Amino acid sequence: MKKYGFPNRWFRRTLRVIIITLLVMVSIVSASEEQSQSYHLTIPTTAPGFVLLGSEPATVERPGSVTDFILSIQNQTEDFSVLPKNYALELAPYWLLLGSHITYEQYVNGRNLMANMLQTLSLSVATVSSTFEDSLGVSHDMTSLGFGFRFSLLRGKVEPSFQNYANRLDSIYSISHTLSDRVTEEIEKRLKNDTVLCRLDSVFQNAPDNARQLLIPIITVLQSQRQQEIKNEVEKEIREEYTSEFARISGLVSRLQMRRVGWKLELAGGAAMDFPERTFDNSNWSKLGIWTTFGYEQTHWGMLGLVRILGDQRNDDFSSIDIGSRFIIDNIRLMSISVESVYRTFYASDKMDDTWRLAFMLDYPLGKNKSLSLVFGRDFEGSRSGNLISLINVVISLGSDRPI
Amino acid sequence: MSSSILQYYRVRLDDTITLKITIGHGQSGDTIVHLGANRIVDGQQGSFELVLLGVGEELNYKKLHCFTAVTDIQTETNETSVRYELIGGVEPYQHTLQETVNAHGDVEFYLATFVFYI
């Protein structure tokens, strides 16, 4: 029976991937143009923690945009029959702590290396649940934690003509100015005619010089409060009156797709820790790694390279160097199709043979906060369950409806 | 956090005042500025710096209203912010207003009023 196990498993996995791929293709083709434009092209990025725990769908990760705070749930189940067990928390400290210092001009300008580094720096922690077998062949549960960082030194320049980016931005400015003008006019009128504010102005102006400094804190509080009330009233009225203008801005922003083209250089790294039997005291550092992804991306295609050094703390024989490349074609009805090849050599071992991986990937945004990756190909040798890759990876971000 | 502020700003008779407005979090912003009854900035996109016409004596008791509509266009964050700086008076002044929008593509309105006095 064992003799026929591999072809059966291979057949089942392949069939599942083909069926789901076909379902996704059908849904893409049947989607209307309007619907298809309502989502950003997702450039899925994987937290470095996932990479160290060997749970990343692609080995050659493409440099993507960061999000100030994101919780990712990764589901690699082949049939969606179990709950996801892999989670990652990723945050961008510069956006969280000093975001008010980032102007739009600084954001789009990709020439300043320090600004690129700070704006793209992200820190992550990931957890993956798995099982392992001891020397007697008994299966045990294990939880692994991965800590990681990544940042880009080169991230390309914004392509203004991509998906009408510049024109859409101009339209946003134009509608926003109409609203701003209307709000300004109405608030100005009410501030000028408000009796409370006028009386407070009069009290301040008629106060003796020596009393003015004492009056300022009190008057400031009262006037601020009244000003905020007037602003809230006007804003509420304008939002009700100009519903369609707000909806137009929202629609334009959802279709505003920023594409950075040119040279890319990203650095990432981290460490992973295992907790066999899920016992805190039983922890050990399992992996350390550092890697760089570099390459060139154009509007509809990209070519990336990877150099990665992974040190295995449990068994030095598994410490490896990966050298890989990935070719990507983007924007085929929102889909991104790519092929990657990676060569792995075990630099600290004379027992281990070099191995390689070749995978085809299809990434598709399911919505503003969900993405789907289909991966199929040949994995590195050495896996207990064979070297066939056929997985469906779903990433869901929580806490925001921003595209990921 | 708040989307409105009112601040008294002390100036000397011959001071020249500079206003600096920075739209933060990489977002898009449109600003209108009124000094007294005059609109001195009409729909300035993004961050900018402006020297106010008239010295401290002429600005006395005048109000400077700064209205900014910030649209959340960035996928990195749902935060929006506007930083106000006044330079040239008795002391420099700086304050940042910050608000989180509910959804990507929302618009947040900011209002800052500065009252000049000697």
Side-chain angles (χ1 to χ4, degrees), chain A residues 11 46 65 86 93 138 186 208 266 294:
Chain A
F11 180 74
T46 306
S65 60
N86 305 341
V138 180
E186 198 54 42
E266 185 178 87
F294 50 90

Side-chain angles (χ1 to χ4, degrees), chain A residues 149-365:
Chain A
F149 71 89
R150 65 172 174 191
F151 60 84
S152 289
L153 285 174
L154 300 174
R155 55 177 175 166
K157 62 174 184 180
V158 173
E159 170 60 66
S161 62
F162 182 72
Q163 300 275 357
N164 282 327
Y165 178 81
N167 291 342
R168 283 190 175 135
L169 201 58
D170 281 347
S171 302
I172 290 167
Y173 273 126
S174 170
I175 306 167
S176 154
H177 181 61
T178 308
L179 293 169
S180 181
D181 192 47
R182 191 70 197 87
V183 169
T184 303
E185 199 179 299
E186 198 54 42
I187 291 179
E188 269 288 331
K189 196 167 75 187
R190 294 193 199 183
L191 288 178
K192 201 188 286 176
N193 298 326
D194 188 77
T195 49
V196 176
L197 291 173
C198 289
R199 270 186 211 154
L200 289 167
D201 279 343
S202 169
V203 168
F204 178 73
Q205 287 175 20
N206 295 321
D209 283 353
N210 53 2
R212 235 175 239 166
Q213 286 301 328
L214 296 170
L215 275 175
I216 283 177
I218 304 160
I219 288 183
T220 302
V221 169
L222 295 171
Q223 286 190 325
S224 298
Q225 207 173 346
R226 187 66 194 131
Q227 178 176 283
Q228 184 69 51
E229 283 168 8
I230 291 169
K231 179 181 172 288
N232 291 347
E233 280 167 24
V234 173
E235 223 182 291
K236 193 175 170 226
E237 289 167 20
I238 297 290
R239 284 186 193 277
E240 282 168 9
E241 193 181 341
Y242 291 86
T243 320
S244 59
E245 276 76 3
F246 284 100
R248 272 184 67 202
I249 290 185
S250 186
L252 282 163
V253 171
S254 74
R255 291 191 288 273
L256 194 66
Q257 200 173 313
M258 182 183 274
R259 175 76 165 172
R260 289 183 186 273
V261 298
W263 293 101
K264 308 280 176 86
L265 174 60
E266 185 178 87
L267 295 170
M273 198 178 220
D274 288 342
F275 295 87
E277 300 281 9
R278 295 188 180 153
T279 309
F280 187 79
D281 297 337
N282 201 11
S283 63
N284 54 68
W285 289 102
S286 56
K287 278 183 183 173
L288 288 171
I290 189 160
W291 60 96
T292 175
T293 310
F294 50 90
Y296 189 83
E297 287 195 280
Q298 254 304 336
T299 315
H300 296 289
W301 61 271
M303 183 72 126
L304 297 170
L306 164 86
V307 177
R308 178 158 63 199
I309 302 170
L310 278 181
D312 196 310
Q313 305 298 298
R314 295 163 302 189
N315 185 346
D316 211 24
D317 283 345
F318 290 107
S319 295
S320 60
I321 295 176
D322 290 347
I323 296 170
S325 64
R326 182 173 172 188
F327 184 69
I328 307 150
I329 299 173
D330 282 323
N331 293 308
I332 307 167
R333 282 199 166 254
L334 290 184
M335 276 187 300
S336 173
I337 295 171
S338 55
V339 57
E340 71 169 17
S341 60
V342 182
Y343 186 80
R344 175 170 291 176
T345 180
F346 299 94
Y347 63 87
S349 171
D350 48 8
K351 288 179 276 182
M352 303 281 290
D353 290 332
D354 293 353
T355 179
W356 54 274
R357 165 187 162 112
L358 179 69
F360 297 90
M361 280 157 285
L362 186 150
D363 296 311
Y364 180 67

Side-chain angles (χ1 to χ4, degrees), chain A residues 34-84:
Chain A
E34 188 56 31
Q35 279 175 324
S36 70
Q37 285 186 347
S38 67
Y39 298 135
H40 283 235
L41 171 77
T42 304
I43 299 179
T45 53
T46 306
F50 273 151
V51 175
L52 281 162
L53 299 174
S55 179
E56 80 284 17
T59 305
V60 185
E61 259 313 303
R62 61 192 301 188
S65 60
V66 297
T67 303
D68 57 358
F69 180 85
I70 191 167
L71 173 65
S72 299
I73 297 174
Q74 199 184 45
N75 190 349
Q76 288 193 350
T77 175
E78 290 167 27
D79 51 10
F80 294 93
S81 61
V82 294
L83 287 171

Side-chain angles (χ1 to χ4, degrees), chain A residues 61-123:
Chain A
E61 259 313 303
R62 61 192 301 188
S65 60
V66 297
T67 303
D68 57 358
F69 180 85
I70 191 167
L71 173 65
S72 299
I73 297 174
Q74 199 184 45
N75 190 349
Q76 288 193 350
T77 175
E78 290 167 27
D79 51 10
F80 294 93
S81 61
V82 294
L83 287 171
K85 291 176 179 175
N86 305 341
Y87 305 91
L89 186 75
E90 196 167 9
L91 56 90
Y94 194 67
W95 281 92
L96 278 174
L97 302 173
L98 292 165
S100 64
H101 293 260
I102 306 170
T103 64
Y104 176 77
E105 292 73 24
Q106 289 163 348
Y107 174 76
V108 294
N109 182 352
R111 281 173 296 187
N112 186 324
L113 296 188
M114 183 56 84
N116 288 348
M117 195 185 96
L118 291 171
Q119 288 180 28
T120 56
L121 175 65
S122 80
L123 306 173

Side-chain angles (χ1 to χ4, degrees), chain A residues 68 95 99-100 102-105 107 169 173 253 256 402, chain B residues 22-30 45-47 68-82 99-101 103-106 110:
Chain A
D68 57 358
W95 281 92
S100 64
I102 306 170
T103 64
Y104 176 77
E105 292 73 24
Y107 174 76
L169 201 58
Y173 273 126
V253 171
L256 194 66
R402 274 171 276 147
Chain B
T22 308
I23 317 292
H25 290 92
Q27 308 289 15
S28 141
D30 179 280
Q45 293 175 8
S47 307
T68 305
V70 181
T71 309
D72 172 20
I73 59 167
Q74 299 305 351
T75 55
E76 277 81 353
T77 182
N78 276 0
E79 292 297 320
T80 63
S81 62
V82 182
E99 282 288 327
T100 309
V101 297
H104 185 58
D106 277 359
Y110 288 90

Side-chain angles (χ1 to χ4, degrees), chain B residues 38-104:
Chain B
N38 301 321
R39 182 174 286 204
I40 56 170
V41 174
D42 187 16
Q44 174 72 47
Q45 293 175 8
S47 307
F48 66 97
E49 198 174 306
L50 170 78
V51 178
L52 301 182
L53 278 178
V55 290
E57 191 176 11
E58 294 159 272
L59 293 173
N60 196 19
Y61 296 136
K62 275 194 179 168
K63 284 185 180 177
L64 182 75
H65 292 301
C66 310
F67 302 88
T68 305
V70 181
T71 309
D72 172 20
I73 59 167
Q74 299 305 351
T75 55
E76 277 81 353
T77 182
N78 276 0
E79 292 297 320
T80 63
S81 62
V82 182
R83 192 166 77 245
Y84 302 93
E85 287 172 74
L86 283 173
I87 308 156
V90 174
E91 280 179 7
Y93 172 80
Q94 182 183 306
H95 186 81
T96 303
L97 295 176
Q98 187 170 334
E99 282 288 327
T100 309
V101 297
N102 290 327
H104 185 58

